[in-house]
Amino acid sequence: MKSSKQVAAKADNSGGVSARVQTLHQRLHSALGLGTRFHDGKGWKWKSTDIEIQRHVLRSISSFLDSVTPDISRHSVVKDSVADIIGAMVWILQYKSQAAVSVAANVVLKLMNAIPKSIMWPYLLDLVRPLLSLLCGYSLEVLTSCAIALNMILSRMTVKEDPMVWEMLNDSNSVHSLVNSLSVVPGSGDVASMECFLEMVSLLSTILHRWPRSRYCVWSNVKFMEVLGIMIQRPEFSVKIVVMKLYAGVALCGNGAKKLLQNEEALGVMVSCMDKTCPISLRLEGFRLARCLATNEEGYLTMASLFCGPIVKAIVDGMIGWSLNSRKMDDDQLSLLVEACQLACIVRWGGEHHNYFWKHDICYVLLRLLSENLSDASSQGFLLLEEQIPVAKEALKADFLITIRPYIWDILGWLAAQCTNGINHELSSHEGHINILITCACLSFVDSIQKGGIIVNDVTETSEGGSATRAVLMMIYSPCKYFESKAKQTLSEILKHGGKDYMKQILRYLSIISSRKVFGSPDVHAAGVNLMAATCYSGLPLYQSPMIKSGGVTVLMAFIGWCMKHEVHVKGLGLVHHGLISKRLCCWEDKEDWEGDEMLLLCGLWGLAELLFSEFVLNADVSYGNMGLTEAEFVGTLKDICMSSSSPGLKWYSAHMLSYFGLYGFPCKLGQCIGRALHENEDADMQVILRSGQSSRVHCVILSIRCPSLLPPRKSSLQKQEVESGKEIHLSSHVGNEELTKLLEYVYLGYTRPEEEHVKKLKILAKHCGLQPLSMVLSRSRPNWGSPFPSYDLSVALTSAGQMFSDIILESKENVSSSWECTFCSVSRPHVHAHKVVLGSRCDYLRALFQSGMQESHSNTVKVPVSWDALNKLVHWFYTEELPNPLTGCPWLNMGTEEKLQAVQPYLELCWISDFWFLETVGDICYIVVVSHMEDSDVSLSLKLLQLAANLSLWKLAEVAADRLALAYRQLCQSGDLELLDEGLAEMIRAASVRISQSL
């Protein structure tokens, strides 16, 4: 703290500051001098318990800040006073005198407005805690001022301060306080109450957008969500804006988004606010909320089921409305345009909205965003390709909404990828617009090659060249014949001059990349865009032969090998929409887009398949040594991808490539197990007989799910006795033994290996049996972008449809509730009607039990020594290869210790039984689940899990729990929690604590 003489001396030398400011500055420091200083262990602080002194200091600060104008805000007189002002404000706010806090809150606002951000930044954290403490129990004026001030402070914070601010928010329980305060609808005529409500909701919105852990107590509070539902219906635009901002923060949480998607009225208001008749500020918030809710396909489809047409119309109006009145755009108009383009990326998913986009002439809209001259040219009539190219070239040179172009290419690419031949009537009416767009995209693609834009290391996923390349890729391989033929024709025409040289340039670059052992993110993205370009070339008939002669097969194989060896992953390659809000999301189900993060490997297989299936490739052109694999190893790798990859697209192209090697279908882990039962008559309950007299024994439960058309027509009242053992199915003379054998191989295994001469007949049989995926791979048809990968799922057998084929009961060790009952039998204990063919194929222990010949093998019931929850999870894994996961994210973090223990305990039981039943995969999965949930919880859960793991002799898990508890060993000793454990377990924690301390 400076003395009055020092301040006065300094003021005398304060050039550029008026005498009035100097006087107010001196009075300020004189007022501060009335307080005292104390040291809190961190530094010197100001304090005064005298209310009148506090009020005098506040008046002095307020008067001084009133005198600070922008031209002197960085002057030393001002800068040197900030620390002292903050110190006094912190004390006064923390003292919480009713007579002072109202003035103090307003003075904080003056301080934030008068002092530049760079000067205030070091002191912002000091103000947060005292302001948070005033968010409950004070007057509307205080609450309003504090909310405004906190909003300003939080908006100026950097990411580095986020953990410290969250600690303050959590310690003060501020989010709960805000929610509780806002759970009452303000009076319609109470202006002060409404202003306070809006500012506090705005503050809560800021918190939700920045701190994911704050969201749970908002969307889980039924009363508050009801209040928001009432408020969003109010006619005032200001109210709708702040509520939608808050909704957007809630929607960043996947669970919160589900809550909002259940509120049809609120969704209706959101859509109406996106309408072009609303103010831009209101439309912006509507679009932002809609984009959050459309984070994944499930969220968007829920909205679309209610408001598909209006949403698409609002998007189109947002994309084109700016140009109807003026060529110039202000910041809000540009923001609205960007939001509309981002939301338009819903076209990456198929659905009814595509029809609406075509009805609203989306291609004309995209042309207007490229250039108004283009839309004028396309509307003049049909232009020949030779006429389109110069017109498009000239338009693309213009510096017109350059930042929007990547969105244009993204949208065009998705439209082509999801377009089907069924909407040709829509395309024909927009033919001129589509042709010009295709030409522009192809020119942009070729231009990036000519300039070397695809080769240099600064190519990013959001570049125009990358987006245009991806769009051309989607058009060339579009399921729509018009898009496909037009794109191939246009690109081939543009590549007439220099096309082969560009192709060789791309192949050289890919060859260089695939030889590198050290590479960075720019290399990966540049390689990805080049790879998409190479795949475009692979789809052009004129360039397939030159590609092969130039070593294209060899280069692609080497690149595929490089990707697999180095496990190179990239997400959203060439997409500008990717990752715009993903960093702020929480609790959204991790459902990958079609390519997931495997676009490099997918594209490599895609381009390779096009060349291998072409008429120009010879066996001599194919050398698997470039991948560092033999042919058999490559086939094995493709099968592994089908079994384990999370990318549907990569799995599809792996299956497509496998057809080149004579393996048709979709390899999976469950099929590998069930396939063991194919040639075993044990438990088979039906016989398929051919006209030739040859027959095969099969299992009704497998056929009823995997190929129901082979079974006799079922009546609604069909009972188990109607499919008793020995029942026969007679097939027509058109079905041969080889085709039936291979069909059953596919049904059980998930794939088949027929001889080439039987493929045609097998394809006819597959089509007749309704096995469209098998028919597709037998035809070696290219997968359509976005097609769901065929799943091998036997869980239907656990429902009433499969219970009639049940031949074994699994019974848990405990009763769950008195209300439990089975719809299929009268047994009262919790149980599952299962099937020996499935259980024996999935578990060697049960297989041996069923075949042992001992008393247990003749019993209709197997008693499983685990809880009902654990048994349900285990059976689900037997039938699907998937183990249901416990809650994660916000719900998990907000559960009590007992609730968490109840959720995790079944996984410990499964860890235990997996050792006895030789279920290594189940044990590994459950171990990971328990450890990951232990890490996301406090020590109280670890204590309980340690004891439970020890009781089950799961010492590996017990050691993990002990290591975690070792970090809090002293606190456990002081709290007495260690005394609750067995002596041996307490010693485990002590030993772990010693070991960890010695390693530090």
Side-chain angles (χ1 to χ4, degrees):
M1 193 76 64
K2 304 174 183 65
S3 68
S4 298
K5 289 183 178 179
Q6 288 174 320
V7 173
K10 189 163 187 175
D12 291 339
N13 298 314
S14 302
V17 175
S18 67
R20 178 174 174 273
V21 173
Q22 293 180 34
T23 299
L24 292 172
H25 178 257
Q26 187 172 7
R27 288 177 181 173
L28 166 63
H29 283 275
S30 295
L32 291 171
L34 297 174
T36 58
R37 293 196 303 162
F38 72 99
H39 200 281
D40 66 349
K42 298 179 181 178
W44 290 99
K45 307 292 182 182
W46 184 94
K47 75 172 185 177
S48 174
T49 58
D50 189 309
I51 305 303
E52 290 307 317
I53 291 177
Q54 290 183 18
R55 296 177 68 182
H56 176 56
V57 168
L58 288 172
R59 287 193 294 269
S60 299
I61 294 173
S62 180
S63 298
F64 176 69
L65 292 175
D66 286 340
S67 70
V68 176
T69 55
D71 58 317
I72 65 166
S73 61
R74 297 182 183 275
H75 196 280
S76 59
V77 168
V78 177
K79 289 171 62 177
D80 294 345
S81 301
V82 172
D84 292 335
I85 292 173
I86 295 291
M89 294 301 305
V90 169
W91 172 267
I92 295 170
L93 289 168
Q94 288 177 336
Y95 197 73
K96 298 182 181 179
S97 165
Q98 291 284 357
V101 291
S102 178
V103 178
N106 284 317
V107 171
V108 173
L109 289 180
K110 281 189 179 182
L111 183 66
M112 296 298 297
N113 287 315
I115 307 301
K117 295 179 183 179
S118 58
I119 298 174
M120 279 296 297
W121 180 76
Y123 309 102
L124 294 177
L125 273 175
D126 297 332
L127 290 168
V128 174
R129 194 181 294 275
L131 286 171
L132 287 174
S133 68
L134 299 175
L135 287 178
C136 184
Y138 288 86
S139 67
L140 291 176
E141 183 184 3
V142 173
L143 293 176
T144 303
S145 298
C146 286
I148 296 172
L150 278 167
N151 229 341
M152 294 175 70
I153 291 171
L154 296 181
S155 66
R156 296 181 185 182
M157 292 280 191
T158 64
V159 177
K160 290 174 64 176
E161 285 87 39
D162 278 2
M164 290 175 281
V165 175
W166 174 246
E167 185 179 348
M168 295 177 189
L169 287 166
N170 198 36
D171 291 345
S172 61
N173 211 23
S174 296
V175 179
H176 284 279
S177 297
L178 279 169
V179 171
N180 290 334
S181 299
L182 292 167
S183 295
V184 178
V185 179
S188 57
D190 189 343
V191 177
S193 177
M194 180 60 74
E195 182 186 4
C196 182
F197 179 88
L198 296 180
E199 295 299 341
M200 291 181 74
V201 169
S202 180
L203 171 61
L204 186 56
S205 173
T206 299
I207 294 171
L208 295 189
H209 278 81
R210 195 150 178 176
W211 290 278
R213 294 187 67 172
S214 65
R215 296 164 189 161
Y216 175 84
C217 67
V218 175
W219 62 257
S220 64
N221 190 305
V222 176
K223 188 175 181 180
F224 179 50
M225 294 299 285
E226 287 175 353
V227 169
L228 292 176
I230 294 170
M231 294 301 291
I232 199 172
Q233 301 284 346
R234 292 180 67 105
E236 300 97 321
F237 290 153
S238 59
V239 177
K240 294 182 186 295
I241 287 173
V242 296
V243 173
M244 281 196 292
K245 279 184 179 179
L246 184 62
Y247 274 166
V250 169
L252 291 174
C253 172
N255 293 304
K258 288 178 181 177
K259 290 283 185 183
L260 293 176
L261 289 167
Q262 294 169 5
N263 189 338
E264 185 174 339
E265 290 184 353
L267 292 178
V269 174
M270 176 197 75
V271 174
S272 66
C273 290
M274 295 163 62
D275 190 80
K276 64 182 179 181
T277 59
C278 295
I280 287 183
S281 57
L282 187 58
R283 295 174 71 190
L284 274 170
E285 296 309 325
F287 273 103
R288 287 167 182 158
L289 174 55
R291 187 159 57 90
C292 290
L293 293 173
T295 293
N296 66 11
E297 184 176 9
E298 181 183 354
Y300 169 68
L301 292 179
T302 302
M303 287 195 297
S305 66
L306 300 169
F307 306 104
C308 186
I311 288 174
V312 173
K313 184 178 185 303
I315 291 171
V316 171
D317 288 340
M319 293 172 70
I320 201 170
W322 66 271
S323 62
L324 298 179
N325 303 314
S326 171
R327 289 174 175 268
K328 296 181 180 180
M329 279 190 290
D330 57 28
D331 290 343
D332 282 347
Q333 286 176 319
L334 182 58
S335 296
L336 180 64
L337 174 57
V338 171
E339 288 291 338
C341 289
Q342 289 174 353
L343 188 55
C345 288
I346 56 175
V347 292
R348 65 186 183 274
W349 302 308
E352 186 185 7
H353 53 290
H354 279 264
N355 294 329
Y356 283 104
F357 273 109
W358 288 116
K359 287 176 182 176
H360 286 287
D361 202 351
I362 183 62
C363 286
Y364 172 77
V365 175
L366 295 177
L367 278 177
R368 290 292 295 268
L369 294 176
L370 275 174
S371 168
E372 286 190 314
N373 294 333
L374 280 176
S375 58
D376 294 340
S378 63
S379 62
Q380 291 173 3
F382 182 79
L383 294 176
L384 297 174
L385 180 57
E386 294 79 5
E387 298 171 317
Q388 292 174 23
I389 292 175
V391 172
K393 277 183 177 179
E394 192 62 31
L396 289 173
K397 289 179 183 177
D399 184 15
F400 185 76
L401 293 177
I402 296 296
T403 57
I404 299 297
R405 285 191 183 176
Y407 291 110
I408 297 172
W409 304 138
D410 279 359
I411 295 166
L412 177 62
W414 292 128
L415 286 169
Q418 297 292 346
C419 190
T420 62
N421 291 313
I423 58 172
N424 275 335
H425 62 284
E426 294 288 350
L427 297 180
S428 61
S429 60
H430 311 303
E431 190 174 330
H433 300 152
I434 295 173
N435 292 346
I436 289 284
L437 272 177
I438 292 174
T439 302
C440 288
C442 291
L443 283 170
S444 185
F445 162 56
V446 174
D447 185 57
S448 64
I449 303 176
Q450 290 175 329
K451 293 178 179 178
I454 292 183
I455 305 301
V456 296
N457 285 342
D458 64 349
V459 173
T460 67
E461 60 181 338
T462 56
S463 68
E464 183 184 352
S467 294
T469 302
R470 186 176 176 117
V472 172
L473 178 71
M474 296 296 187
M475 291 189 292
I476 286 175
Y477 294 102
S478 171
C480 172
K481 296 299 181 185
Y482 185 86
F483 261 117
E484 179 190 11
S485 61
K486 209 68 184 176
K488 287 180 177 180
Q489 177 192 359
T490 303
L491 186 57
S492 298
E493 179 66 27
I494 295 172
L495 288 173
K496 269 186 178 179
H497 305 290
K500 291 182 181 179
D501 292 334
Y502 304 148
M503 178 194 71
K504 292 176 182 177
Q505 175 181 289
I506 290 167
L507 293 177
R508 278 196 301 271
Y509 182 78
L510 292 175
S511 182
I512 292 169
I513 285 291
S514 58
S515 65
R516 288 184 182 175
K517 295 181 180 179
V518 179
F519 51 89
S521 180
D523 297 315
V524 172
H525 285 291
V529 180
N530 275 275
L531 185 59
M532 289 193 293
T535 307
C536 289
Y537 269 102
S538 297
L540 298 177
L542 289 176
Y543 287 89
Q544 287 178 335
S545 179
M547 274 279 284
I548 294 167
K549 290 178 180 178
S550 299
V553 172
T554 301
V555 170
L556 290 174
M557 284 190 163
F559 191 86
I560 291 168
W562 176 78
C563 283
M564 292 189 293
K565 179 180 179 181
H566 296 284
E567 297 183 357
V568 184
H569 303 283
V570 59
K571 197 174 180 73
L573 182 66
L575 294 177
V576 71
H577 85 272
H578 175 73
L580 290 169
I581 59 175
S582 59
K583 292 180 181 178
R584 295 180 287 148
L585 297 176
C586 70
C587 302
W588 279 91
E589 293 181 21
D590 189 20
K591 291 184 178 179
E592 296 279 7
D593 285 335
W594 202 66
E595 74 271 34
D597 61 357
E598 301 284 5
M599 189 61 177
L600 288 181
L601 192 51
L602 188 158
C603 242
L605 292 176
W606 190 347
L608 179 62
E610 288 301 311
L611 296 181
L612 293 182
F613 286 121
S614 73
E615 59 184 294
F616 305 104
V617 75
L618 301 172
N619 288 332
D621 297 316
V622 184
S623 174
Y624 304 99
N626 295 295
M627 289 187 288
L629 302 171
T630 64
E631 179 179 333
E633 288 172 334
F634 183 41
V635 170
T637 299
L638 293 173
K639 289 173 68 176
D640 288 341
I641 290 172
C642 288
M643 291 181 187
S644 58
S645 176
S646 61
S647 163
L650 180 59
K651 294 202 290 189
W652 254 119
Y653 268 95
S654 295
H656 185 46
M657 275 297 306
L658 283 171
S659 68
Y660 176 79
F661 298 101
L663 190 153
Y664 301 90
F666 312 95
C668 63
K669 294 177 183 177
L670 184 54
Q672 267 190 326
C673 295
I674 301 299
R676 298 195 303 178
L678 175 57
H679 301 296
E680 297 179 0
N681 291 332
E682 194 80 28
D683 305 318
D685 51 5
M686 185 168 285
Q687 191 170 18
V688 182
I689 302 175
L690 300 175
R691 280 288 175 89
S692 63
Q694 295 170 299
S695 64
S696 298
R697 299 279 294 171
V698 296
H699 304 81
C700 284
V701 65
I702 304 298
L703 258 64
S704 68
I705 298 168
R706 297 280 296 156
C707 189
S709 59
L710 273 184
L711 291 175
R714 290 170 51 187
K715 310 281 186 183
S716 58
S717 59
L718 183 66
Q719 299 297 319
K720 183 177 179 179
Q721 56 263 32
E722 293 183 46
V723 287
E724 73 280 359
S725 178
K727 190 164 180 75
E728 298 176 349
I729 302 173
H730 292 269
L731 300 183
S732 75
S733 59
H734 297 293
V735 181
N737 185 58
E738 184 66 22
E739 295 88 71
L740 176 62
T741 300
K742 293 305 176 182
L743 182 76
L744 292 176
E745 190 174 85
Y746 170 79
V747 168
Y748 278 74
L749 270 172
Y751 64 90
T752 183
R753 284 179 175 270
E755 296 296 331
E756 194 62 36
E757 62 266 25
H758 296 291
V759 168
K760 185 175 181 180
K761 289 184 177 180
L762 179 57
K763 184 167 64 174
I764 294 171
L765 180 59
K767 187 175 181 180
H768 180 76
C769 291
L771 300 176
Q772 194 272 335
L774 175 59
S775 178
M776 182 176 175
V777 290
L778 286 168
S779 302
R780 291 177 171 171
S781 301
R782 185 193 309 125
N784 288 334
W785 188 275
S787 301
F789 189 75
S791 64
Y792 197 124
D793 185 348
L794 300 178
S795 60
V796 176
L798 299 172
T799 66
S800 58
Q803 285 177 337
M804 66 181 67
F805 304 118
S806 172
D807 52 5
I808 192 72
I809 290 176
L810 299 180
E811 191 176 283
S812 70
K813 70 176 183 181
E814 63 177 23
N815 287 316
V816 285
S817 69
S818 58
S819 62
W820 193 94
E821 63 176 341
C822 178
T823 58
F824 192 69
C825 73
S826 59
V827 177
S828 59
R829 289 183 64 83
H831 62 272
V832 176
H833 290 273
H835 311 83
K836 288 183 178 180
V837 62
V838 177
L839 301 182
S841 299
R842 300 286 284 135
C843 177
D844 289 337
Y845 171 84
L846 291 175
R847 183 184 180 87
L849 178 67
F850 297 149
Q851 297 177 356
S852 67
M854 296 187 295
Q855 181 179 352
E856 291 85 349
S857 67
H858 301 295
S859 172
N860 291 328
T861 302
V862 175
K863 295 186 182 296
V864 187
V866 296
S867 66
W868 173 241
D869 281 347
L871 177 60
N872 257 329
K873 288 175 171 54
L874 180 60
V875 171
H876 190 270
W877 181 82
F878 281 148
Y879 282 73
T880 66
E881 194 65 34
E882 294 179 357
L883 199 65
N885 286 320
L887 290 173
T888 57
C890 295
W892 172 261
L893 295 172
N894 288 275
M895 286 167 64
T897 301
E898 287 301 323
E899 288 180 291
K900 289 181 177 180
L901 181 64
Q902 188 176 0
V904 174
Q905 183 171 334
Y907 297 90
L908 276 88
E909 296 180 64
L910 293 180
C911 275
W912 172 77
I913 201 173
S914 66
D915 286 340
F916 294 96
W917 283 18
F918 311 111
L919 298 170
E920 184 179 350
T921 301
V922 173
D924 291 343
I925 295 172
C926 291
Y927 174 84
I928 293 171
V929 167
V930 174
V931 171
S932 63
H933 282 71
M934 198 187 304
E935 291 172 349
D936 287 339
S937 303
D938 56 22
V939 294
S940 59
L941 179 64
S942 297
L943 275 169
K944 292 181 179 294
L945 289 177
L946 173 61
Q947 185 66 66
L948 185 56
N951 293 343
L952 295 171
S953 299
L954 299 170
W955 298 113
K956 186 179 176 183
L957 275 173
E959 288 174 4
V960 173
D963 286 347
R964 177 164 171 74
L965 291 167
L967 299 173
Y969 181 69
R970 288 187 178 179
Q971 296 92 309
L972 293 172
C973 290
Q974 293 169 359
S975 65
D977 287 334
L978 279 184
E979 298 175 6
L980 302 175
L981 296 173
D982 296 342
E983 186 177 339
L985 299 180
E987 176 57 25
M988 278 183 69
I989 299 173
R990 189 200 66 77
S993 176
V994 171
R995 186 180 67 252
I996 292 172
S997 63
Q998 290 175 344
S999 65
L1000 296 177

